[in-house]
Amino acid sequence: MEIWINPACSKCRSAVDLLDAEGAEYTVRRYLEDVPSPDEIRAVLDRLGLEPWDIARTQEAAAKELGLAGWPRDAASRDRWISALSEHPKLIQRPIITADDGSAVVGRTEEAVRDALSR
């Protein structure tokens, strides 16, 4: 199990606290420092069953500068979104937990973190 976190994020800290309380074995990836490549983002999206716009933080300053809210959300634009997430990792929703069964969840709630633990 791996968790992508921003240590400044309260949701990330809560997820890590819950994983620790449950005795889970996991690795931490500080994705703002260890930025995921476009291929890693594609792999996580496949595991999540989501599209890049589904995990984009559109209210971030970088998103507003890019005009992300106005970008098309279609197959032809998918790579553009993935590139933006890789070039501006603050735009990636967090925390993302990759579960041992090959799936992943966006662990913003206790229920989502527990779901990842149960896999």
Side-chain angles (χ1 to χ4, degrees):
M1 182 179 293
E2 181 177 74
I3 182 169
W4 292 8
I5 68 162
N6 171 353
C9 167
S10 63
K11 300 281 187 191
C12 293
R13 291 191 307 271
S14 294
V16 167
D17 288 347
L18 181 54
L19 293 175
D20 288 344
E22 294 295 326
E25 291 185 26
Y26 63 94
T27 57
V28 170
R29 179 171 187 170
R30 294 177 178 218
Y31 71 94
L32 297 180
E33 299 162 16
D34 183 8
V35 178
S37 70
D39 285 341
E40 289 175 305
I41 293 171
R42 281 185 196 88
V44 162
L45 288 167
D46 288 346
R47 292 175 81 168
L48 287 165
L50 297 174
E51 293 296 337
W53 45 85
D54 296 326
I55 65 163
R57 298 173 56 86
T58 57
Q59 297 305 310
E60 290 287 333
K64 291 178 181 181
E65 288 172 22
L66 292 169
L68 212 62
W71 288 12
R73 296 177 181 213
D74 57 23
S77 302
R78 191 170 198 264
D79 285 341
R80 181 181 183 199
W81 280 86
I82 290 169
S83 292
L85 293 175
S86 184
E87 291 167 18
H88 306 277
K90 267 194 151 179
L91 298 178
I92 300 172
Q93 190 61 260
R94 67 210 178 228
I96 293 177
I97 303 169
T98 55
D100 291 336
D101 71 351
S103 64
V105 298
V106 178
R108 295 191 57 77
T109 65
E110 180 178 335
E111 294 77 23
V113 176
R114 290 194 182 282
D115 182 37
L117 283 166
S118 71
R119 296 177 184 203

Coordinates of all heavy atoms in Angstrom, one line a residue, residues 4-36:
W4 N -0.1 8.8 -1.3 CA 0.4 10.0 -1.9 C -0.1 11.1 -1.0 O -1.4 11.3 -0.9 CB 0.0 10.3 -3.3 CG 0.5 9.4 -4.3 CD1 1.3 8.2 -4.1 CD2 0.4 9.5 -5.7 NE1 1.6 7.6 -5.3 CE2 1.1 8.4 -6.3 CE3 -0.3 10.4 -6.6 CZ2 1.1 8.2 -7.7 CZ3 -0.2 10.2 -7.9 CH2 0.5 9.1 -8.5
I5 N 0.8 11.9 -0.4 CA 0.4 12.9 0.6 C 1.1 14.2 0.4 O 2.2 14.3 -0.2 CB 0.6 12.5 2.1 CG1 2.1 12.4 2.4 CG2 -0.2 11.2 2.4 CD1 2.3 12.5 3.9
N6 N 0.4 15.3 0.9 CA 1.0 16.6 1.1 C 1.0 16.7 2.6 O -0.1 16.8 3.2 CB 0.2 17.7 0.4 CG 0.6 19.1 0.7 OD1 1.5 19.3 1.6 ND2 0.0 20.0 0.1
P7 N 2.1 16.8 3.3 CA 2.1 16.8 4.7 C 1.4 18.0 5.3 O 0.9 18.0 6.5 CB 3.6 16.9 5.1 CG 4.3 16.4 3.9 CD 3.5 16.7 2.7
A8 N 1.2 19.1 4.5 CA 0.5 20.3 5.0 C -1.0 20.1 5.0 O -1.8 20.9 5.5 CB 0.9 21.5 4.2
C9 N -1.5 19.0 4.4 CA -2.9 18.7 4.2 C -3.5 18.0 5.4 O -3.0 16.9 5.8 CB -3.1 17.9 2.9 SG -4.7 17.2 2.7
S10 N -4.6 18.5 6.0 CA -5.2 17.9 7.2 C -5.8 16.5 6.8 O -5.8 15.6 7.6 CB -6.2 18.8 7.8 OG -7.3 19.0 6.9
K11 N -6.4 16.4 5.6 CA -7.0 15.1 5.2 C -5.9 14.1 5.1 O -6.1 12.9 5.4 CB -7.7 15.3 3.8 CG -8.8 16.3 3.9 CD -10.1 15.7 4.5 CE -11.2 16.7 4.3 NZ -12.4 16.3 5.1
C12 N -4.7 14.5 4.6 CA -3.6 13.5 4.4 C -3.1 13.1 5.8 O -2.9 11.9 6.0 CB -2.4 14.2 3.7 SG -2.8 14.5 2.0
R13 N -3.0 14.0 6.7 CA -2.5 13.7 8.1 C -3.5 12.7 8.8 O -3.2 11.8 9.4 CB -2.3 14.9 8.9 CG -1.1 15.7 8.4 CD -0.7 16.8 9.4 NE -1.8 17.7 9.8 CZ -2.1 18.8 9.1 NH1 -1.4 19.2 8.0 NH2 -3.1 19.6 9.5
S14 N -4.8 13.0 8.6 CA -5.9 12.1 9.2 C -5.8 10.7 8.6 O -5.9 9.8 9.3 CB -7.3 12.7 8.9 OG -7.4 13.9 9.6
A15 N -5.6 10.6 7.3 CA -5.5 9.3 6.6 C -4.3 8.5 7.2 O -4.4 7.4 7.5 CB -5.4 9.5 5.1
V16 N -3.1 9.2 7.3 CA -1.9 8.6 7.8 C -2.2 8.1 9.3 O -1.8 7.0 9.7 CB -0.7 9.5 7.7 CG1 0.5 9.0 8.5 CG2 -0.3 9.6 6.2
D17 N -2.8 9.0 10.1 CA -3.1 8.6 11.5 C -4.0 7.4 11.5 O -3.8 6.5 12.4 CB -3.8 9.8 12.2 CG -2.9 11.0 12.5 OD1 -1.6 10.8 12.4 OD2 -3.4 12.1 12.8
L18 N -5.0 7.3 10.7 CA -5.9 6.1 10.7 C -5.1 4.9 10.2 O -5.3 3.8 10.8 CB -7.1 6.4 9.7 CG -8.1 5.2 9.7 CD1 -8.6 4.8 11.0 CD2 -9.2 5.6 8.8
L19 N -4.3 5.0 9.2 CA -3.5 3.9 8.8 C -2.6 3.4 9.9 O -2.5 2.2 10.2 CB -2.6 4.2 7.5 CG -3.4 4.5 6.2 CD1 -2.4 5.0 5.1 CD2 -4.1 3.3 5.8
D20 N -2.0 4.3 10.6 CA -1.1 4.0 11.7 C -1.9 3.3 12.9 O -1.5 2.3 13.4 CB -0.4 5.2 12.3 CG 0.7 5.7 11.4 OD1 1.1 5.0 10.4 OD2 1.1 6.9 11.6
A21 N -3.1 3.9 13.2 CA -3.9 3.3 14.2 C -4.3 1.9 13.9 O -4.5 1.1 14.8 CB -5.1 4.2 14.5
E22 N -4.5 1.6 12.6 CA -4.9 0.3 12.2 C -3.7 -0.7 12.0 O -3.9 -1.8 11.6 CB -5.8 0.3 10.9 CG -7.1 1.0 11.1 CD -8.0 0.3 12.1 OE1 -8.0 -0.9 12.1 OE2 -8.8 1.0 12.8
G23 N -2.5 -0.2 12.2 CA -1.3 -1.0 12.0 C -1.0 -1.4 10.6 O -0.4 -2.4 10.3
A24 N -1.5 -0.6 9.7 CA -1.3 -0.9 8.2 C 0.2 -0.7 7.8 O 0.9 0.2 8.4 CB -2.1 0.1 7.4
E25 N 0.6 -1.5 6.9 CA 1.9 -1.4 6.3 C 1.8 -0.6 5.0 O 1.0 -1.0 4.2 CB 2.5 -2.8 6.0 CG 2.9 -3.5 7.3 CD 3.6 -4.8 7.0 OE1 4.3 -4.9 5.9 OE2 3.5 -5.7 7.8
Y26 N 2.5 0.5 4.9 CA 2.4 1.4 3.8 C 3.6 2.2 3.6 O 4.5 2.3 4.5 CB 1.2 2.3 3.9 CG 1.3 3.3 5.0 CD1 1.8 4.5 4.8 CD2 0.9 2.9 6.3 CE1 1.9 5.4 5.9 CE2 1.0 3.8 7.4 CZ 1.5 5.1 7.2 OH 1.6 5.9 8.2
T27 N 3.8 2.7 2.4 CA 4.9 3.7 2.2 C 4.2 5.0 1.9 O 3.1 5.1 1.3 CB 5.8 3.3 1.0 OG1 5.0 3.1 -0.2 CG2 6.5 2.0 1.3
V28 N 5.0 6.1 2.2 CA 4.5 7.4 2.0 C 5.2 8.0 0.8 O 6.4 7.9 0.7 CB 4.8 8.3 3.2 CG1 4.5 9.8 2.9 CG2 3.9 7.9 4.4
R29 N 4.5 8.6 -0.1 CA 5.0 9.4 -1.2 C 4.6 10.8 -1.1 O 3.4 11.1 -1.2 CB 4.6 8.8 -2.5 CG 5.2 9.6 -3.7 CD 4.9 8.9 -5.0 NE 5.6 9.5 -6.1 CZ 5.7 9.0 -7.3 NH1 5.1 7.8 -7.6 NH2 6.3 9.7 -8.3
R30 N 5.6 11.7 -0.8 CA 5.3 13.1 -0.8 C 5.3 13.6 -2.2 O 6.4 14.0 -2.8 CB 6.3 13.8 0.1 CG 6.2 13.4 1.5 CD 7.3 14.1 2.4 NE 7.1 13.7 3.7 CZ 7.3 14.5 4.8 NH1 7.7 15.8 4.5 NH2 7.1 14.1 6.0
Y31 N 4.2 13.6 -2.8 CA 4.1 13.7 -4.3 C 4.4 15.1 -4.8 O 4.7 15.3 -6.0 CB 2.7 13.3 -4.8 CG 1.6 14.2 -4.5 CD1 1.2 15.2 -5.3 CD2 0.9 14.1 -3.3 CE1 0.1 16.0 -5.0 CE2 -0.1 14.9 -2.9 CZ -0.5 15.9 -3.8 OH -1.5 16.7 -3.5
L32 N 4.5 16.1 -3.9 CA 5.0 17.4 -4.3 C 6.5 17.5 -4.5 O 7.0 18.3 -5.2 CB 4.5 18.5 -3.3 CG 3.0 18.7 -3.1 CD1 2.7 19.8 -2.1 CD2 2.4 19.0 -4.4
E33 N 7.2 16.6 -3.8 CA 8.6 16.5 -3.9 C 9.0 15.4 -4.9 O 9.9 15.5 -5.7 CB 9.2 16.2 -2.5 CG 9.0 17.2 -1.5 CD 9.2 16.8 -0.1 OE1 9.8 15.7 0.2 OE2 8.7 17.5 0.9
D34 N 8.3 14.2 -4.8 CA 8.6 13.1 -5.7 C 7.4 13.1 -6.7 O 6.5 12.3 -6.5 CB 8.6 11.8 -4.8 CG 8.9 10.6 -5.6 OD1 9.2 10.7 -6.8 OD2 8.8 9.5 -5.1
V35 N 7.5 14.0 -7.6 CA 6.4 14.2 -8.6 C 6.1 13.0 -9.5 O 7.1 12.5 -10.1 CB 6.7 15.5 -9.4 CG1 5.6 15.7 -10.4 CG2 6.9 16.7 -8.5
P36 N 4.9 12.6 -9.5 CA 4.6 11.4 -10.4 C 4.7 11.8 -11.9 O 4.3 12.9 -12.3 CB 3.1 11.1 -10.0 CG 2.6 12.2 -9.2 CD 3.7 13.0 -8.7

